[in-house]
């Protein structure tokens, strides 16, 4: 009997390896395919089961169909919205990037917008509350993490007061990430008691028939008030310690950046919310897509919303980032808390330096996620040798802002990190902006980061102990398993 079991185990093991060689590399990045094959060959049974669980980034068929429906709806409802000011010459390459974004994400470039950056954590909440207090028709709130705590109580109070005034308030929050934070039950209870219409995004509730790949997440952060004002960026609705004991023990505090928008672009942000609300509820809020009434304003900026995620056929944010990195002519400054690029981003960044551009990368000196932190560090030597200047934002702050600037005219800000998870597994939203005034404002933010950072040199990096190098390289392998 034992001999038979051994033979069966050998045959199953052999079959798994053969099937893996055929199935795993198909339509997958080479690094991801090799990482999965390595996992399956080293730990065949567990590796194969893990691949079956999270090896595919596809959504349920119905959700993919809904995404296609809403994309067509956005195309139909935004026809003719490409109204931009051309009083200042565009970069010659910008038209093609706008077309790329329109083809991938269905959203147009629109002009006559205003933007204001908010980088102070508490003041950002105060700004959102102030606009919610002015709501007359609806408030749409969508966050990766939404949590009731002493810092966010005024935000929840504002939502409740809006409902009392007769305003329709809808809230979306990512199920897994919000659930993992303290006070999840109290958060849901408070929303319900306030009369807010709320839904979980990408819920894992198999007994209710709600199931998809368990590590897909909706990472977007949005607030839309009456189609008049919108907020987007990197900050979640939670205390800047994230209320986690390990963060409080280490003294960690998050440093974020949000942008407040006015103008026709707010309709684009609202369309993203409507897309996600439709995906979770089957309710299409067409009445809440505001008509666009552009007005001529001084120092206006042109904006284009770029949604991305598993619901789209292409990796929209990755393609946008690559296009801008290759089109840049003078200067690139990247801020990403989790910089774990694929080969294409690494080639684009290092090629930019070799083309003679000045390239800077802002990251945190410390990390809140060990695997991501070590995976990110594994790229530092190659970047430094290429000539990229790396600035490490000083502890105990985690620089969580996500944006980058290209030359003097174009910038991107949003929820997307420059990592493989954001490119393939997370629902993200980015905003491409054409406007010298906005780029100058972001440059001022970057100057502030630089003042609070230390530059990492190649000489310093090469003194890293061997154990750190081993950890970094192992973490890099795991980052490709997706």
């Amino acid at each position: 009997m034992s001999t038979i079991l051994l033979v069966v185990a050998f045959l199953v093991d052999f079959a798994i390896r053969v099937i893996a060689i055929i199935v795993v590399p198909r339509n997958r990045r080479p690094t991801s395919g090799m990482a999965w094959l390595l996992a399956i060959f080293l730990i065949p049974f567990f590796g194969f089961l893990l691949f079956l669980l999270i090896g595919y980034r596809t959504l349920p068929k119905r959700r993919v169909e809904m995404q296609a429906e809403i994309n067509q709806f956005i195309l139909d409802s935004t026809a003719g919205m490409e109204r931009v000011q051309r009083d200042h010459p565009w970069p010659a390459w910008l038209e093609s990037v706008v077309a790329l974004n329109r083809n991938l994400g269905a959203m147009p470039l629109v002009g006559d917008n205003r933007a204001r950056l908010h980088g102070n954590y508490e003041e950002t909440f105060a700004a959102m509350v102030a606009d919610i207090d002015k709501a007359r028709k609806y408030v749409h709130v969508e966050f990766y993490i939404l949590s009731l705590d002493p810092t966010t109580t005024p935000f929840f109070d504002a939502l409740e007061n809006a409902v009392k005034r007769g305003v329709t308030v809808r809230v979306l929050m990512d199920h897994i990430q919000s659930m993992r934070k303290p006070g999840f039950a109290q958060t849901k209870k408070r929303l319900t008691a306030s009369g807010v219409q709320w839904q979980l995004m990408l819920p894992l509730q198999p007994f209710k028939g709600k199931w998809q790949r368990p590590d897909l997440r909706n990472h977007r952060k949005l607030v839309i008030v009456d189609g008049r004002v919108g907020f987007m960026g990197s900050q979640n609705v939670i205390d800047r310690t994230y209320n986690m004991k390990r963060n409080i023990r280490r003294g960690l505090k998050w440093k974020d950046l949000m942008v407040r928008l006015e103008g026709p672009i707010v309709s684009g942000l609202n369309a993203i919310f409507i897309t996600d609300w439709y995906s979770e509820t089957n309710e299409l809020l067409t009445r809440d897509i505001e008509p666009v009434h552009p007005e001529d304003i001084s120092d206006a900026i042109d904006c284009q919303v770029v949604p991305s995620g598993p619901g789209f056929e292409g990796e929209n944010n990755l393609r946008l980032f690559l296009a801008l990195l290759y089109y840049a002519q003078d200067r690139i400054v990247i801020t990403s808390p989790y910089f774990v690029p694929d080969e294409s981003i690494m080639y684009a960044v290092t090629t930019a330096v070799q083309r003679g551009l000045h390239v800077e990368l802002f990251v945190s000196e410390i990390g809140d996620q060990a695997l991501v932190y070590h995976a990110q560090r594994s790229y530092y030597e190659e970047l430094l040798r290429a000539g990229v200047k790396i600035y490490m934002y000083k502890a105990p702050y985690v620089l969580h802002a996500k944006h980058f600037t290209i030359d003097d005219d174009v910038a991107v800000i949003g929820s997307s990190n420059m990592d493989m998870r954001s490119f393939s597994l997370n629902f993200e939203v980015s905003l491409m902006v054409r406007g010298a005034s906005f780029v100058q404002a972001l440059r001022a933010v970057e100057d502030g980061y630089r003042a609070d950072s230390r530059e990492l040199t190649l000489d310093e990096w090469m003194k890293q102990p061997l154990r750190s190098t081993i950890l970094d390289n192992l973490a890099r392998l795991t980052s490709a398993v997706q």
Side-chain angles (χ1 to χ4, degrees):
M1 180 63 70
S2 59
T3 303
I4 294 175
L5 289 175
L6 285 173
V7 171
V8 171
F10 172 79
L11 291 175
V12 171
D13 179 273
F14 181 75
I16 288 174
R17 295 170 190 264
V18 172
I19 293 171
I21 291 173
I22 297 170
V23 173
V24 170
R26 186 178 181 184
N27 298 324
R28 193 179 300 274
R29 291 192 191 94
T31 50
S32 177
M34 288 300 296
W36 272 116
L37 287 174
L38 183 61
I40 292 171
F41 272 64
L42 289 177
I43 43 175
F45 296 101
F46 178 75
F48 186 65
L49 289 173
L50 189 65
F51 178 77
L52 292 177
L53 182 65
I54 65 171
Y56 292 93
R57 66 184 181 94
T58 54
L59 289 164
K61 182 180 179 181
R62 177 55 185 151
R63 289 188 71 108
V64 174
E65 291 173 347
M66 294 171 79
Q67 182 71 62
E69 291 172 16
I70 201 72
N71 283 355
Q72 188 59 51
F73 174 76
I74 291 171
L75 279 171
D76 294 341
S77 62
T78 57
M81 280 181 60
E82 291 91 340
R83 182 181 187 275
V84 295
Q85 293 186 5
R86 297 174 184 270
D87 51 336
H88 298 291
W90 282 25
W93 45 264
L94 187 57
E95 289 279 9
S96 64
V97 179
V98 171
L100 169 72
N101 295 336
R102 180 69 152 154
N103 291 333
L104 292 174
M107 307 294 281
L109 179 77
V110 294
D112 293 326
N113 302 290
R114 296 186 183 93
R116 181 178 178 182
L117 295 170
H118 290 271
N120 180 284
Y121 208 90
E122 288 75 18
E123 289 179 4
T124 300
F125 279 128
M128 291 190 290
V129 166
D131 281 310
I132 293 171
D133 284 342
K134 298 174 185 175
R136 292 295 175 264
K137 292 181 288 184
Y138 65 85
V139 177
H140 289 163
V141 174
E142 177 175 343
F143 280 90
Y144 180 54
I145 299 172
L146 189 83
S147 183
L148 176 64
D149 61 40
T151 299
T152 64
T153 293
F155 186 89
F156 283 81
D157 290 343
L159 298 182
E160 182 175 3
N161 291 334
V163 172
K164 290 178 179 178
R165 296 195 307 273
V167 175
T168 299
V169 179
R170 301 182 181 95
V171 169
L172 291 169
M173 56 181 166
D174 185 79
H175 181 198
I176 299 300
Q177 282 303 318
S178 293
M179 181 179 67
R180 292 176 61 188
K181 299 300 178 285
F184 180 58
Q186 290 81 0
T187 299
K188 295 186 295 180
K189 184 177 179 181
R190 175 65 191 274
L191 290 172
T192 301
S194 298
V196 171
Q197 302 176 39
W198 62 272
Q199 293 288 332
L200 300 173
M201 295 187 292
L202 297 172
L204 288 179
Q205 298 170 321
F207 295 112
K208 296 182 179 181
K210 297 179 179 179
W211 174 264
Q212 60 274 320
R213 176 174 165 169
D215 61 338
L216 298 182
R217 302 271 55 83
N218 194 313
H219 196 236
R220 295 166 178 164
K221 293 99 175 168
L222 298 170
V223 175
I224 301 99
V225 178
D226 292 342
R228 176 183 56 84
V229 174
F231 288 82
M232 66 173 298
S234 68
Q235 186 167 321
N236 288 294
V237 178
I238 192 169
D239 183 79
R240 67 189 310 180
T241 65
Y242 278 48
N243 298 318
M244 303 299 287
K245 291 181 180 179
R246 62 178 181 273
N247 294 342
I248 297 171
R249 184 171 60 251
R250 297 174 63 192
L252 299 186
K253 297 179 180 180
W254 266 241
K255 174 72 173 176
D256 281 286
L257 189 67
M258 296 286 278
V259 58
R260 180 185 184 273
L261 296 160
E262 294 180 276
I265 196 60
V266 178
S267 293
L269 294 184
N270 200 34
I272 300 301
F273 178 90
I274 289 170
T275 298
D276 290 334
W277 187 265
Y278 180 49
S279 296
E280 303 300 348
T281 67
N282 287 315
E283 180 186 9
L284 183 56
L285 306 171
T286 54
R287 64 186 180 278
D288 288 333
I289 292 185
E290 295 294 307
V292 178
H293 300 295
E295 58 183 77
D296 292 326
I297 59 176
S298 60
D299 207 18
I301 59 174
D302 304 322
C303 301
Q304 188 173 28
V305 174
V306 183
S308 57
F312 294 91
E313 292 184 3
E315 295 168 319
N316 299 359
N317 48 356
L318 174 59
R319 294 175 189 272
L320 166 62
F321 297 167
L322 286 172
L324 293 178
L325 290 171
Y326 278 115
Y327 277 129
Q329 300 297 307
D330 177 57
R331 184 182 181 90
I332 299 168
V333 181
I334 300 169
T335 302
S336 181
Y338 311 117
F339 186 81
V340 186
D342 67 352
E343 298 97 324
S344 62
I345 287 288
M346 280 297 289
Y347 269 92
V349 170
T350 54
T351 298
V353 181
Q354 293 163 353
R355 290 193 290 124
L357 278 64
H358 179 88
V359 180
E360 297 180 8
L361 171 64
F362 285 97
V363 294
S364 295
E365 186 177 49
I366 53 176
D368 63 302
Q369 300 179 35
L371 275 178
V372 179
Y373 173 69
H374 283 286
Q376 175 173 287
R377 286 162 49 92
S378 72
Y379 294 91
Y380 288 171
E381 181 179 346
E382 182 179 353
L383 292 168
L384 290 168
R385 288 191 183 279
V388 175
K389 291 186 174 294
I390 299 178
Y391 291 95
M392 307 183 77
Y393 201 78
K394 293 181 181 179
Y397 292 95
V398 175
L399 183 57
H400 192 245
K402 310 155 198 298
H403 52 84
F404 71 105
T405 48
I406 300 293
D407 301 337
D408 296 323
D409 271 329
V410 179
V412 175
I413 184 171
S415 66
S416 180
N417 299 303
M418 275 199 179
D419 67 356
M420 289 178 274
R421 164 162 282 281
S422 286
F423 298 150
S424 300
L425 304 179
N426 288 348
F427 287 84
E428 307 281 6
V429 58
S430 302
L431 183 76
M432 187 179 77
V433 179
R434 199 284 304 191
S437 61
F438 186 80
V439 175
Q440 289 170 4
L442 267 180
R443 293 280 189 230
V445 171
E446 293 163 358
D447 290 342
Y449 296 161
R450 200 175 293 105
D452 290 326
S453 302
R454 65 178 183 86
E455 184 177 355
L456 178 66
T457 65
L458 181 59
D459 287 342
E460 176 190 348
W461 184 250
M462 296 310 294
K463 295 175 183 177
Q464 292 292 314
L466 178 61
R467 65 178 181 276
S468 294
T469 302
I470 293 172
L471 282 173
D472 295 346
N473 291 336
L474 288 174
R476 182 168 177 166
L477 283 176
T478 64
S479 71
V481 176
Q482 54 175 283

